[in-house]
Amino acid sequence: MDILKRWVSLQVDLGSFDSRAAVYNFALKMTFRAVLLAFIFNIALLPLGYALGLVPLSVADAVKLSVACSWLFGGAVSGALALVTGHVIRELTVSRAEFERLSLTDMLSGLLNRRAFNAALAETGAGASLAILDLDRFKAVNDCHGHCAGDEVIKAVAEVLREVFGEGHLIARLGGEEFGVIVRGGGVAQRIALVERARNMVEARAIYCDGVAIGTTVSAGVAEFGPDRRPESVYSAADSALYRAKAGGRNRVVHEAEQAELGPLDTQHGHEAMPIGMMQFSGEQMPATS
């Protein structure tokens, strides 16, 4: 029985039912298999039919009748059932794919959500940077202009991030006014330059809500992935750099390398981060920021 179930099931893979052609192909295969199974079943019963005197036909005529019945009943009925089943499976497949997409998407910004971000974070290796960006004084936007305006700001910043980083990088909204970007490829200086570009574009872009122009800025902390570095360590370093960017005056990008050079943040003396334009990475000279 188990062998028969595996044979008839046709090793259905839900991932293959992504088009109508796949449904028809499934129905056709199931029809031929059902016809073959019905024919074998009929032939196997012929000796018993002759022994009991239930088949008043010659062997040749009985075989012909078995073929006709196999196609007429086995083929037609199983084909119709397989077609209906295929369409149901396809609808379930499409629904499942849409559900999986929605489960990884932040509904407000249209970016990936923290769940998708955490999965990507765990799989990212050397040759990439993690940038955590946080909107500056976002609570004031909600307090002064309302939460609808705050939503528009979130969507506008998400659009800027899509413009800057495109398809080659992973962009996510981590929650509230915080975003995460896994910047891939290039050198460290090039990756930081992309984050700087995003910061500049957010600062320069006016966001309109009910005819009122709202300006905003972002602060960002950047850390590097490495071959022997845990994702949690990378995230912690980027978050610490973000804290320094906030404490140093906001609307700036701070790299984790500045943490090592400057030591703990000295809030009593107003110790600020070194301008990124002075930093060097593997012989790369960073461009001065505006």
Side-chain angles (χ1 to χ4, degrees), residues 12-270:
V12 174
D13 177 12
L14 294 183
S16 67
F17 282 78
D18 54 357
S19 66
R20 294 187 182 278
V23 173
Y24 294 132
N25 185 50
F26 167 77
L28 186 61
K29 288 182 178 179
M30 286 298 294
T31 299
F32 276 109
R33 293 193 175 203
V35 168
L36 181 59
L37 184 62
F39 177 71
I40 293 174
F41 183 74
N42 287 334
I43 294 300
L45 288 179
L46 280 181
L48 180 61
Y50 280 116
L52 298 176
L54 300 176
V55 183
L57 300 172
S58 65
V59 174
D61 289 337
V63 171
K64 292 178 183 178
L65 182 61
S66 296
V67 172
C69 290
S70 298
W71 276 104
L72 182 61
F73 297 105
V77 174
S78 66
L81 291 176
L83 193 60
V84 172
T85 302
H87 281 294
V88 171
I89 294 175
R90 179 175 179 271
E91 290 178 3
L92 290 175
T93 302
V94 172
S95 298
R96 185 183 70 171
E98 180 64 12
F99 174 78
E100 289 178 352
R101 185 189 69 81
L102 292 176
S103 71
L104 299 174
T105 302
D106 174 66
M107 292 297 99
L108 177 60
S109 65
L111 301 175
L112 295 176
N113 60 18
R114 181 176 281 275
R115 177 188 170 194
F117 173 81
N118 288 341
L121 189 70
E123 297 174 356
T124 303
S129 301
L130 170 63
I132 302 178
L133 303 93
D134 190 87
L135 294 179
D136 297 325
R137 299 185 174 90
F138 183 70
K139 184 177 183 300
V141 174
N142 285 328
D143 291 344
C144 296
H145 304 282
H147 288 281
C148 288
D151 289 348
E152 291 303 315
V153 169
I154 292 292
K155 289 189 282 189
V157 171
E159 184 59 33
V160 168
L161 296 180
R162 274 190 288 263
E163 289 179 23
V164 173
F165 295 102
E167 298 294 331
H169 314 281
L170 184 137
I171 316 163
R173 183 186 176 205
L174 304 184
E177 65 270 28
E178 189 172 79
F179 299 84
V181 182
I182 297 176
V183 192
R184 303 184 177 106
V188 177
Q190 292 172 304
R191 297 195 290 266
I192 295 178
L194 282 175
V195 182
E196 273 289 343
R197 183 185 171 207
R199 182 195 65 79
N200 283 323
M201 288 180 63
V202 169
E203 182 182 18
R205 182 163 299 187
I207 303 159
Y208 290 91
C209 184
D210 295 330
V212 178
I214 303 171
T216 190
T217 60
V218 294
S219 299
V222 182
E224 301 302 316
F225 290 91
D228 299 317
R229 195 173 191 188
R230 293 173 58 85
E232 296 85 353
S233 175
V234 179
Y235 187 92
S236 178
D239 193 54
S240 179
L242 171 62
Y243 176 78
R244 182 180 289 278
K246 291 284 190 180
R250 297 182 176 85
N251 190 25
R252 61 183 61 204
V253 176
V254 173
H255 190 273
E256 65 171 334
E258 300 171 58
Q259 303 281 92
E261 294 199 11
L262 295 176
L265 184 65
D266 187 353
T267 54
Q268 291 182 340
H269 297 85

